[in-house]
Amino acid sequence: MKHMITAAVIALSAGPAFAQGTPAPEGAMVYFIGLEDGTVVDSPVTIRFGLSGMGIAPANMEMDNTGHHHLFLNRPPLGEGEFGAEELTLPLPNDETHRHFGGGQTEVTLDLPPGEHTMQLVLGDHNHVPHEPPIVSDVITIVVE
Ligand SMILES: [Cu+2]
């Protein structure tokens, strides 16, 4: 009896799924309103998201020059996490450290334990993928008393 050898074809050579990212206009910015690096707060803390040069659209709604907010919480800056630069071209995860505001929300109130909490805002397109170039805020560390 002859055995056939079947080669598993693994498409390792495929490029990023979103090689052409959603373009962001020059000068667009996301930023924290009223919070900066080192700000001391009480919990619960309300975190307000600022955006200039672009508009907010809910997730899954494809419109030029829009996106929705994501809050990175206690993880490395975009592009410096577990998946490195690859995460610039992939949908952002949705978990405790990656909060999505796909309804178009521009603030959130969080119960945070005492201590330091590092955060960054990242705008994502209708597919939750960062724009090209990525629209990200400064990384700030707030101190919860
Ligand atoms: Cu999202």
Side-chain angles (χ1 to χ4, degrees), residues 22 51 54-70 100-106 123-128 131:
T22 300
L51 175 65
M54 291 180 74
I56 296 287
N60 304 318
M61 186 175 290
E62 187 172 0
M63 290 171 62
D64 285 350
N65 300 329
T66 66
H68 64 277
H69 288 290
H70 301 84
H100 290 243
F101 299 92
Q105 304 95 313
T106 56
L123 204 68
D125 70 7
H126 57 287
N127 286 323
H128 316 274
H131 293 77

Side-chain angles (χ1 to χ4, degrees), residues 53-134:
M54 291 180 74
I56 296 287
N60 304 318
M61 186 175 290
E62 187 172 0
M63 290 171 62
D64 285 350
N65 300 329
T66 66
H68 64 277
H69 288 290
H70 301 84
L71 180 66
F72 281 19
L73 198 57
N74 297 320
R75 58 142 283 166
L78 179 72
E80 298 175 29
E82 187 183 350
F83 300 103
E86 203 176 324
E87 69 182 353
L88 295 169
T89 60
L90 297 172
L92 297 167
N94 190 353
D95 56 28
E96 278 297 294
T97 58
H98 305 83
R99 312 289 181 94
H100 290 243
F101 299 92
Q105 304 95 313
T106 56
E107 64 174 52
V108 65
T109 300
L110 294 178
D111 258 316
L112 293 173
E116 295 190 344
H117 297 275
T118 298
M119 42 190 77
Q120 182 183 35
L121 290 171
V122 177
L123 204 68
D125 70 7
H126 57 287
N127 286 323
H128 316 274
V129 179
H131 293 77
E132 197 176 314

